[in-house]
Amino acid sequence: HAAEAQRTDLMTITRHVLNEQGRHPESRGDFTILLSHIVLGCKFVASAVNKAGLAKLIGLAGDTNGEEQKKLDVLSNEVFVKALVSSGRTCVLVSEENEEAIIVDAPLRGNHEFDKIMVTVSSHQKLHGYCVCFDPLDGSSNIDCGVSIGTIFGIYMIKDKDNVTLDDVLQPGTDMLAAGYCMYGSSCTLVLSTGNGVNGFTLDPSLGEFILTHPNIKIPNRGKIYSVNEGNAKNWDAPTAKFVEKCKFPQDGSPSKSLRYIGSMVADVHRTLLYGGIFLYPADQKSPNGKLRVLYEVFPMSFLMEQAGGQAFTGKQRALELVPRKIHDRSPIFLGSYDDVEDIKALYASESIIG
Ligand code: P6P
């Protein structure tokens, strides 16, 4: 009966978030409404990515409806921007695909009439407006060879809905309310944290619903895998080089770590979260701030890692304590199992002492 009960007790992502938000009496469901629009975007991208190969085939057969085959990342970006704006809960958007931040038109930032009534009637109801930073299709260069790619997002609360500025998104990652990614691979998996741990949901295409499949994900304290682009080794600084050397030639008699590098951040981070280990995209002489972007790659993945019991480090500080100066700022990142990241922090600390 338990299995039967389990099967009929569908824990969808919406129900799960409603349960979590229920702990915040002042919330009016704004976050749940915002999330449902992010989920809609992910469902669209999942279906488009799955057809990508076929679309090419159909394209060859001249069967497309005349519209030029839009690049999937551009199409995904348009879908997410429209879904987020139409949610009526966003004030500013930062997308990897848009050079400038998108300031949402005031009327679309939330139902002003309703807000005004709510403020007079019950002042404890906070007016929730959100900023969403996202990469609509990270790793999209991997689509043609079928490697998993993903959407990454981070959510801030707006400071003042009627006075929206870039400062609302140039906040440290510690101010993020929620973060997640959706991985489009053999299955479509959405991993989310709203600050109470990490949960994974898998899309059931027959229902069109994300169902809870990975409750309360915790990353192992130490892993057997390191994940880095060894092709950049000649440009690494000493602590990174020393760390990777130790992974390959451990001095304490422990077995060498395995190298797993997919080159698609969502796939590499998802494996790290589930299996443990460390993912690194360090600074190097060519790019002193590394390659990955703070607001929509480093912060969301660091937020998830900390919520799962791991940690994230930039080479200088706790990643979430960074304060971005520009919306497309980059940062080096070392994230994953707590003890593995401690090891590289020790190497950077001793380097700063030796100088
Ligand atoms: P490299 C993909 O282009 C991406 O932005 C991330 O998804 C991935 O982790 C990284 O770049 C791979 O970069 O330099 O190793 O090819």
Side-chain angles (χ1 to χ4, degrees):
H1 289 309
E4 183 53 33
Q6 171 75 28
R7 222 188 339 271
T8 54
D9 185 19
L10 288 179
M11 181 52 79
T12 63
I13 189 167
T14 307
R15 187 179 150 200
H16 194 270
V17 167
L18 273 172
N19 292 350
E20 281 190 340
Q21 294 305 305
R23 296 195 200 125
H24 305 285
E26 81 284 357
S27 83
R28 298 177 318 189
D30 295 326
F31 180 80
T32 306
I33 290 168
L34 172 68
L35 189 83
S36 65
H37 285 76
I38 292 174
V39 166
L40 173 68
C42 294
K43 289 177 185 174
F44 171 87
V45 175
S47 111
V49 164
N50 286 343
K51 288 182 202 129
L54 272 177
K56 241 192 186 56
L57 204 58
I58 294 167
L60 283 180
D63 199 1
T64 47
N65 52 9
E67 196 191 44
E68 91 286 354
Q69 195 63 35
K70 254 187 195 137
K71 276 174 69 64
L72 218 43
D73 45 7
V74 172
L75 190 66
S76 305
N77 188 50
E78 286 173 10
V79 166
F80 274 107
V81 169
K82 287 175 183 160
L84 288 167
V85 172
S86 66
S87 75
R89 295 305 182 280
T90 57
C91 300
V92 51
L93 306 177
V94 169
S95 167
E96 192 270 345
E97 293 284 337
N98 295 72
E99 192 50 41
E100 305 300 329
I102 298 169
I103 307 290
V104 178
D105 294 344
L108 271 168
R109 285 180 207 156
N111 174 339
H112 277 278
E113 289 326 304
F114 176 77
D115 287 346
K116 282 198 187 95
I117 297 164
M118 289 310 288
V119 166
T120 48
V121 164
S122 51
S123 55
H124 76 282
Q125 290 271 5
K126 283 190 288 180
L127 305 185
H128 290 170
Y130 297 99
C131 318
V132 184
C133 305
F134 62 100
D135 188 343
L137 205 54
D138 183 86
S140 52
S141 56
N142 293 295
I143 292 179
D144 292 347
C145 63
V147 163
S148 298
I149 53 181
T151 299
I152 312 172
F153 60 90
I155 302 171
Y156 288 111
M157 177 83 78
I158 202 82
K159 290 187 180 113
D160 171 1
K161 280 175 60 141
D162 299 320
N163 175 23
V164 175
T165 68
L166 270 194
D167 288 347
D168 288 302
V169 287
L170 297 176
Q171 302 181 43
T174 46
D175 286 357
M176 250 180 199
L177 288 177
Y181 59 80
C182 189
M183 186 172 77
Y184 310 105
S186 51
S187 64
C188 178
T189 304
L190 200 157
V191 172
L192 172 72
S193 173
T194 61
N196 307 297
V198 181
N199 293 285
F201 303 83
T202 303
L203 182 63
D204 177 338
S206 66
L207 291 177
E209 287 286 357
F210 280 99
I211 306 294
L212 180 67
T213 47
H214 298 70
N216 195 23
I217 299 175
K218 289 295 174 201
I219 183 170
N221 269 341
R222 189 173 281 286
K224 302 186 177 66
I225 296 169
Y226 74 104
S227 184
V228 68
N229 181 343
E230 289 254 12
N232 297 331
K234 67 181 179 310
N235 300 319
W236 289 338
D237 63 18
T240 292
K242 256 184 226 147
F243 177 79
V244 173
E245 188 67 9
K246 282 185 165 190
C247 291
K248 297 196 266 195
F249 305 97
Q251 272 111 31
D252 57 4
S254 58
S256 309
K257 289 189 187 290
S258 295
L259 170 60
R260 293 284 183 275
Y261 192 69
I262 302 167
S264 174
M265 187 184 197
V266 172
D268 279 317
V269 168
H270 189 59
R271 184 209 50 250
T272 304
L273 189 64
L274 296 187
Y275 295 176
I278 185 166
F279 169 82
L280 30 154
Y281 206 107
D284 65 38
Q285 285 146 19
K286 280 185 315 176
S287 21
N289 284 323
K291 172 183 183 180
L292 300 178
R293 310 286 184 166
V294 173
L295 281 177
Y296 41 80
E297 289 175 316
V298 171
F299 277 173
M301 296 313 203
S302 301
F303 184 98
L304 289 169
M305 279 299 161
E306 290 199 359
Q307 286 289 319
Q311 61 173 324
F313 177 62
T314 66
K316 293 194 176 76
Q317 66 186 110
R318 178 187 173 210
L320 288 181
E321 287 173 357
L322 265 175
V323 180
R325 285 169 302 104
K326 292 207 173 61
I327 60 172
H328 296 295
D329 271 4
R330 301 167 192 263
S331 170
I333 184 69
F334 307 87
L335 58 77
S337 292
Y338 194 89
D339 294 347
D340 289 332
V341 178
E342 279 298 288
D343 290 351
I344 195 145
K345 279 167 70 176
L347 288 167
Y348 271 97
S350 56
E351 189 224 33
S352 60
I353 296 164
I354 299 162

